Amino acid sequence: MSTSAEGNAPAWQAEIAALQATLAAAIAAADDAAALRQIEVDALGKKGSVTALMKRVGALPPDERRAYGAAAGQARGAVSAALAARSDALAQARLQAELDDRSFDETLVGSSTRRGAVHPLSLVRRDIEDVFSSMGFHVLDYPEVDSEFSNFEALNIPSWHPARDMQDTFWLDAGHLLRTHTSAGQVRTMHRLGGEPFRAIFPGRVFRYESTDASHEHTFHQVEGLMIDRAPAAGGPGVSVGHLLDAMRTLLSAIFGEAVQVRLRPGYFPFVEPGFELDIACRNCGGAGCSVCKQSGWLELLPCGLVHPNVLRMGGLDPDQWQGWAFGLGLSRLVMMRYGIGDIRLMLSGDARFCEPFVAGC
Ligand code: DAH
């Protein structure tokens, strides 16, 4: 490097200006990010042409070093500013090209997205939970795998009892089983909440070792209800069949959205005394008689009754001091009635089309 022969301008000044001009042209010509990046490496990288300029300062006569350093530094700044500006311009151009793309038609109708649906079992269960919560009931949950004790013995169904044959059971190891009914939660609830009057429902899945057809499934849903209060002899209001009927009427009118006519027939269950079958006026014919109700005008809906003294005892409650009523609602059956579903096996089929009509319930 030497000073220029003619004039005062040192030769390196023209050299820096030339390099800067070459780079400026290259930057202006680069039409994508990769090309820009390459120019940046070639100019400003460790072995880059601009970096090399900076390194040469030591080779100059001392009186030129300051001016040279300033010029080289200025060139470096100018190149990196040009790189940044070009990069912005390219990004801007890309965006503009996307906006200008006339193949995008914002007036086209969009493709519809499918909304999820709530299973009708969940819809009706929620309704039932809402009604009972508003009447002061706890909503409880119990295990599906339970003991022989909770499912049978505690409910006044000892091993020799013929009622066991009515509920064919999936037996597991060591006295465990898949609960055959939500009644298995009754004695658990007395132990949990007993000592004070209480009301509770416990919805859940139950299992029966049965062959299946349009009205039988090995897995279905029930909602158990239990209300316990002090007997009149213990200074309490007592619990009567009248209370039970009242609660059932409230429940059913909430479910069906209108007053529902009900009747009680005697029914036998070892854990209630007296026990009943509660029927509702046929939803199909209004009670006149049709094929759905086999011309009787009534549909069997839920069994219920006053809690048997032996069951109260199993729950740690003295039957002289405490009384209760209970019901076991076939939730699956109720859902089928409410929505006119003809085959119980559809309920747990997992076929998404089954739920589609219930999207509005989200
Ligand atoms: N657990 C009985 C069943 O599944 C139904 C039942 C009957 C429940 C009478 C009750 C009741 O709470 O009082 O067949």
Side-chain angles (χ1 to χ4, degrees):
M1 185 145 302
S2 58
T3 50
S4 145
E6 72 257 30
N8 319 329
W12 48 259
Q13 230 168 43
E15 204 180 320
I16 290 176
L19 177 58
Q20 211 177 312
T22 312
L23 287 172
I27 289 168
D31 53 9
D32 62 28
L36 269 188
R37 176 81 193 125
Q38 191 55 51
I39 296 169
E40 185 177 8
V41 170
D42 292 346
L44 306 178
K46 238 180 168 171
K47 296 181 179 155
S49 50
V50 176
T51 310
L53 280 183
M54 310 293 287
K55 288 183 186 156
R56 282 203 237 143
V57 69
L60 289 172
D63 61 335
E64 286 182 26
R65 287 183 190 163
R66 175 188 286 268
Y68 178 86
Q74 181 276 330
R76 192 171 192 276
V79 169
S80 65
L83 282 166
R86 182 68 185 146
S87 167
D88 283 353
L90 285 177
Q92 191 58 42
R94 258 198 322 273
L95 180 63
Q96 195 57 48
E98 271 175 37
L99 291 173
D100 291 344
D101 180 0
R102 285 288 147 216
S103 63
F104 174 74
D105 180 352
E106 68 274 21
T107 65
L108 278 180
V109 178
S111 57
S112 62
T113 32
R114 285 162 58 114
R115 285 185 66 191
V118 178
H119 195 288
L121 276 169
S122 307
L123 283 179
V124 177
R125 196 200 65 224
R126 284 183 201 167
D127 283 353
I128 292 174
E129 290 178 2
D130 285 351
V131 181
F132 278 102
S133 300
S134 74
M135 296 194 290
F137 280 69
H138 297 266
V139 179
L140 307 175
D141 196 25
Y142 290 113
E144 293 172 349
V145 172
D146 209 330
S147 62
E148 182 176 358
F149 176 79
S150 297
N151 197 84
F152 290 126
E153 258 129 75
L155 293 166
N156 203 26
I157 315 175
S159 58
W160 50 263
H161 201 288
R164 289 219 181 177
D165 300 337
M166 289 158 54
Q167 300 193 354
D168 290 318
T169 308
F170 287 103
W171 288 97
L172 308 173
D173 290 343
H176 285 90
L177 44 73
L178 293 182
R179 63 180 177 195
T180 58
H181 51 183
T182 44
S183 306
Q186 284 197 15
V187 163
R188 285 173 173 277
T189 308
M190 291 177 205
H191 284 295
R192 184 161 158 186
L193 303 177
E196 289 298 327
F198 70 81
R199 329 160 159 207
I201 57 167
F202 15 112
R205 225 158 39 140
V206 301
F207 309 86
R208 304 265 173 104
Y209 185 53
E210 286 188 333
S211 41
T212 63
D213 60 31
S215 46
H216 293 88
E217 225 338 352
H218 48 70
T219 303
F220 55 100
H221 290 72
Q222 294 185 331
V223 180
E224 194 81 7
L226 182 63
M227 163 155 166
I228 298 286
D229 210 333
R230 288 200 167 82
V239 161
S240 71
V241 175
H243 290 143
L244 170 61
L245 257 181
D246 242 27
M248 295 302 100
R249 282 205 187 94
T250 309
L251 163 72
L252 295 172
S253 47
I255 300 298
F256 289 106
E258 59 187 22
V260 176
Q261 220 189 323
V262 303
R263 75 171 185 189
L264 287 183
R265 282 179 295 121
Y268 173 72
F269 302 91
F271 37 96
V272 280
E273 178 57 37
F276 304 101
E277 290 286 357
L278 183 143
D279 298 340
I280 59 171
C282 177
R283 309 285 307 155
N284 193 46
C285 61
C290 68
S291 61
V292 174
C293 58
K294 300 196 184 87
Q295 310 306 326
S296 73
W298 296 95
L299 291 175
E300 188 175 309
L301 187 68
L302 60 84
C304 53
L306 299 188
V307 179
H308 195 286
N310 286 349
V311 179
L312 291 170
R313 268 188 217 104
M314 290 290 190
L317 300 173
D318 176 352
D320 292 331
Q321 309 274 313
W322 298 93
Q323 295 178 334
W325 57 247
F327 68 86
L329 171 71
L331 180 59
S332 305
R333 208 172 129 72
L334 183 63
V335 170
M336 291 170 73
M337 259 185 219
R338 176 155 139 180
Y339 296 112
I341 297 164
D343 190 328
I344 191 172
R345 291 168 296 188
L346 286 170
M347 307 275 272
L348 300 180
S349 62
D351 187 332
R353 289 171 301 180
F354 174 69
C355 291
E356 267 166 19
F358 304 100
V359 170
C362 287

